């Protein structure tokens, strides 16, 4: 293991991306006495309101990225769609955590699934789809229902299309909707629950995972996270944690990552774990850790990227935790949520509550039943 | 009760003062989606690193204060030594919470003690001292040991001098050390413990107090806070909470305040409560609430000054809590504290660890014995 630098308090953490994840990383960094410099293209970015320095520039402005990285002691990011050239420009000037391999591996669904399978971990069946012929062949091999997705830049259900089990399909028309973007066809996984493992790996190779949490989506957007995941079998939990660890180690990962998984029922036995995708960053399904764990995912990420020891991921006082996202107009209920006993309200300082936009979240700690 | 405005998320909170208290208020405000504008004279102020807007100007720059207040939706502050003219300039342009009465009452030890006595609450015996003759007379009336203090601008033991029980004294020489500043002589209180009540009053008149905490000072600077206060009798606790409430109500207070108290043993009965001083702001002895209570004092203060409902001040999971300040070079231990199980490290982002300077604090939650 090569020695990695340990940052002093008072050092500057660079964060690429200015949304709510960058904002919450910045708040955690401030609590450790770090200075934060945020790089984001939109001058209205929520993270700009809580940092010591700002760069407003595009993610492909390599000169601006290099200047930014030259002025900070370590660089991290809040989202995985950083172009390879940008990652290279950053890493040339400052340590980049998580590393460029983690970015390259996870920002392309095809590369990502091949990497996961390469570790002996199951994913949904998948095929690369670049042409209508590819799509026809892939559907024949994988079967229907299936989901066609762009290989890159999808999130919250954007860039994907369900192909149902029944009915005629016109491969050329479907593919045309994707405008020529390289795609992947993913087979259907008959899951009973969606869980994620949010975990951290330190610069020293230490690994600390939060318990798997159960995630409920609405309109492809995370709506509710529950910890502990209701009804998860101990063997399933152990399998899920082990997969997250193998993934982190294979990537020589430093920082917090989230691994989204499907639990597939298997008769009377414990559910089987199928990995859906890897987010090389703090994750919405880890927001419960702010109040619900002894170390929040944001503090944990800061510890990891600074080369500091990881904190304890155990749940606060053994309480069960529920996190509800506030999507679009749901945030209009802020006043009643503020008055609600036991509700921890977080708002991200975003201007307009557009439909589908994550405006905040609420966490509740519940006596464990 | 007159209706007071309720702030919307996205509004701007103005904070006068840029130290660690302002910084932690700003972090709490950000978590509610507020923007923060900090006003402080030193361009190296810790709070500047976590806010959306900064004004660097002196506290007596009335024009700068007025401009600042015009651009925010509500003004609060992190310290009580704001000049009356500054408070007036602020309050003319934006709601000021806590109000100017709270400032005027607490920034002068003589006014403060008279106010407290006026509520039927005991303080140390005291006399105003402006001349050597005053001092001689005051010592004769109050007895020795006693403490001579400047009426204004003292903190952490600065601006005070012990007058011991034994030995000759030269009143003129002692007073000369204070350079003609108006003083107060305070009699000795034979206390067994120092506690404080950190509490909040909402714009709607609601009152929410944290449990009294026990404070241990070293060299006049808070070193350790423990909650619950070891051995405090239920009657003493109730008396302490009742005093904090009467003080807050008499000041028509909005925000968090701290009331420092001495517990004086009374034979076999519960200890008597003597109020030492009032801090019209969040307080070092309330830092334990960040992890130790369901609502931190900073979140509570933001709720109050925004006209929002107060949060629950109960302790997290009923755990006992210990907060240790990191003074000067004590913060050099940051790396071992980061590695320590159960230690929540907070650093304030201050440059130089000068002796006596509050650099950070550590909070530990302990199973209640």
């Amino acid at each position: 293991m090569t020695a990695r630098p340990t940052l002093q308090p008072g050092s500057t953490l660079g964060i690429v991306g200015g949304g709510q994840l960058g904002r919450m990383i910045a708040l955690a960094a401030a609590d450790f006495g770090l200075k934060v410099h945020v790089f984001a293209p939109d001058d209205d970015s929520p993270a700009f309101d809580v940092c010591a320095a700002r760069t407003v520039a595009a993610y492909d402005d390599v000169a601006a990225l290099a200047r930014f990285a030259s002025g900070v002691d370590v660089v991290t990011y809040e989202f995985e769609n950083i172009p390879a050239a940008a990652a290279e420009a950053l890493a040339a000037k400052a340590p980049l955590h998580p590393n460029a391999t983690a970015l390259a591996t996870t920002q392309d669904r095809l590369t990502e699934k091949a990497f996961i399978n390469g570790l002996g971990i199951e994913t949904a069946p998948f095929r690369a789809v670049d042409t209508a012929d590819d799509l026809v062949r892939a559907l024949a091999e994988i079967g229907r229902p299936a989901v066609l997705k762009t290989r890159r830049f999808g999130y919250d259900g954007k860039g994907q299309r369900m192909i149902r089990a029944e009915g005629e399909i016109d491969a050329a028309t479907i593919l045309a909707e994707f405008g020529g973007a390289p795609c992947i066809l993913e087979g259907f996984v008959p899951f009973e629950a969606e869980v994620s493992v949010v975990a951290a790996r330190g610069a020293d190779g230490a690994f600390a995972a939060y318990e798997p949490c159960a995630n409920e989506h609405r309109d492809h957007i995370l709506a509710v996270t529950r910890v502990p995941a209701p009804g998860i079998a101990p063997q399933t939990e152990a399998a899920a944690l082990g997969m997250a660890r193998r993934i982190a180690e294979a990537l020589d990962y430093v920082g917090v990552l989230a691994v989204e998984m499907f639990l597939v029922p298997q008769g009377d036995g414990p559910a089987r774990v199928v990995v859906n995708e890897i987010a090389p960053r703090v994750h919405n399904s880890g927001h419960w850790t702010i109040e619900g764990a002894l170390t929040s995912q944001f503090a944990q990420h800061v510890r990891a990227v600074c080369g500091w020891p990881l904190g304890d991921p155990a749940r606060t006082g053994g309480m069960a935790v529920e996190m509800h996202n506030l999507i679009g107009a749901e945030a209009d209920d802020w006043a009643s949520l503020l008055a609600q006993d036991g509700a921890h309200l977080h708002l991200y300082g975003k201007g307009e509550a557009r439909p589908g936009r994550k405006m905040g979240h609420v966490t509740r700690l519940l006596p464990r039943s």
Side-chain angles (χ1 to χ4, degrees), chain A residues 109-110 113 124-130 134-151 161-163 169 174-175 178 182-188:
Chain A
R109 294 182 191 281
L110 189 70
K113 285 196 161 54
F126 62 93
R127 294 291 184 280
V129 171
D130 294 317
D134 290 343
L135 179 55
V136 171
R137 192 177 318 116
L139 283 167
E141 290 172 10
I142 287 179
R144 291 159 61 181
V147 185
L148 188 66
K149 300 180 178 178
T150 54
R151 281 171 53 178
R161 185 196 199 284
M162 181 76 166
I163 301 177
I169 62 148
I174 290 174
L175 213 63
F178 286 79
C183 288
I184 181 174
L185 186 77
E186 297 182 4
F188 177 72

Side-chain angles (χ1 to χ4, degrees), chain A residues 24-25 27-29 31-32 198 200 210 256 282 286-303 311-314 316:
Chain A
M24 289 186 276
I25 296 170
L27 293 174
D31 213 19
F32 287 124
V198 178
Y210 299 98
V256 164
V282 292
H287 290 0
W288 65 271
T289 61
I290 296 176
E291 292 86 10
L294 295 181
T295 307
S296 82
Q297 67 166 343
F298 303 103
Q300 193 73 300
H301 186 70
V302 171
R303 282 172 171 264
D312 188 344
T316 309

Side-chain angles (χ1 to χ4, degrees), chain A residues 268-293:
Chain A
D268 288 343
R272 203 171 87 234
V273 180
V274 174
V275 168
N276 179 30
E277 62 182 44
I278 304 165
R281 53 169 169 83
V282 292
H283 193 257
N284 195 165
S285 70
H287 290 0
W288 65 271
T289 61
I290 296 176
E291 292 86 10

Side-chain angles (χ1 to χ4, degrees), chain A residues 334-353:
Chain A
W334 65 270
S336 69
L337 289 165
L338 270 176
Q340 206 177 95
D341 233 33
H344 294 275
L345 175 66
H346 300 263
L347 295 170
Y348 305 146
K350 297 183 180 179
E352 201 195 337

Side-chain angles (χ1 to χ4, degrees), chain A residues 206-356:
Chain A
F207 180 81
Y210 299 98
E211 286 165 76
C213 54
N215 300 320
E216 198 181 302
H217 292 80
R218 277 177 219 140
D219 302 328
H220 297 282
I221 303 174
L222 181 64
V224 187
T225 294
R226 290 185 181 85
V227 194
I232 191 169
Q235 301 96 314
T236 305
E237 176 164 341
L241 296 174
M243 290 175 190
R245 181 169 196 147
R246 266 142 67 205
I247 288 168
E249 288 176 351
L251 294 170
D252 192 20
Y253 197 89
V254 172
V256 164
L257 84 171
V259 184
E260 295 184 46
M261 302 165 174
F262 299 124
L263 302 189
V264 181
Q266 304 227 91
D268 288 343
R272 203 171 87 234
V273 180
V274 174
V275 168
N276 179 30
E277 62 182 44
I278 304 165
R281 53 169 169 83
V282 292
H283 193 257
N284 195 165
S285 70
H287 290 0
W288 65 271
T289 61
I290 296 176
E291 292 86 10
L294 295 181
T295 307
S296 82
Q297 67 166 343
F298 303 103
Q300 193 73 300
H301 186 70
V302 171
R303 282 172 171 264
V305 302
C306 288
W308 297 344
L310 298 182
D312 188 344
R315 272 183 290 120
T316 309
M319 311 272 280
V321 192
E322 238 181 71
M323 189 287 305
H324 287 250
N325 269 340
L326 299 174
I327 310 288
E330 288 172 359
D332 295 347
D333 286 340
W334 65 270
S336 69
L337 289 165
L338 270 176
Q340 206 177 95
D341 233 33
H344 294 275
L345 175 66
H346 300 263
L347 295 170
Y348 305 146
K350 297 183 180 179
E352 201 195 337
R354 292 193 295 270

Side-chain angles (χ1 to χ4, degrees), chain A residues 5 12 88 104-105 266 295 309 347 351 363:
Chain A
T12 300
E88 204 176 297
T105 306
Q266 304 227 91
T295 307
L347 295 170
T363 301

Side-chain angles (χ1 to χ4, degrees), chain A residues 41-113:
Chain A
D42 182 350
D43 66 7
D44 199 24
S45 297
F48 281 160
D49 288 345
V50 297
C51 63
R54 302 156 182 76
T55 295
V56 181
Y59 294 129
D60 58 3
D61 182 341
V62 170
L65 287 161
R67 268 196 311 277
F68 160 76
S70 301
V72 305
D73 297 294
V74 61
V75 176
T76 190
Y77 45 86
E78 62 150 19
F79 74 121
E80 57 271 44
N81 291 320
I82 294 176
E88 204 176 297
L90 293 166
K93 301 290 183 183
L96 176 69
H97 296 309
N99 60 31
T101 308
L103 278 171
T105 306
T106 60
Q107 67 190 203
D108 180 319
R109 294 182 191 281
L110 189 70
T111 314
E112 180 180 48
K113 285 196 161 54

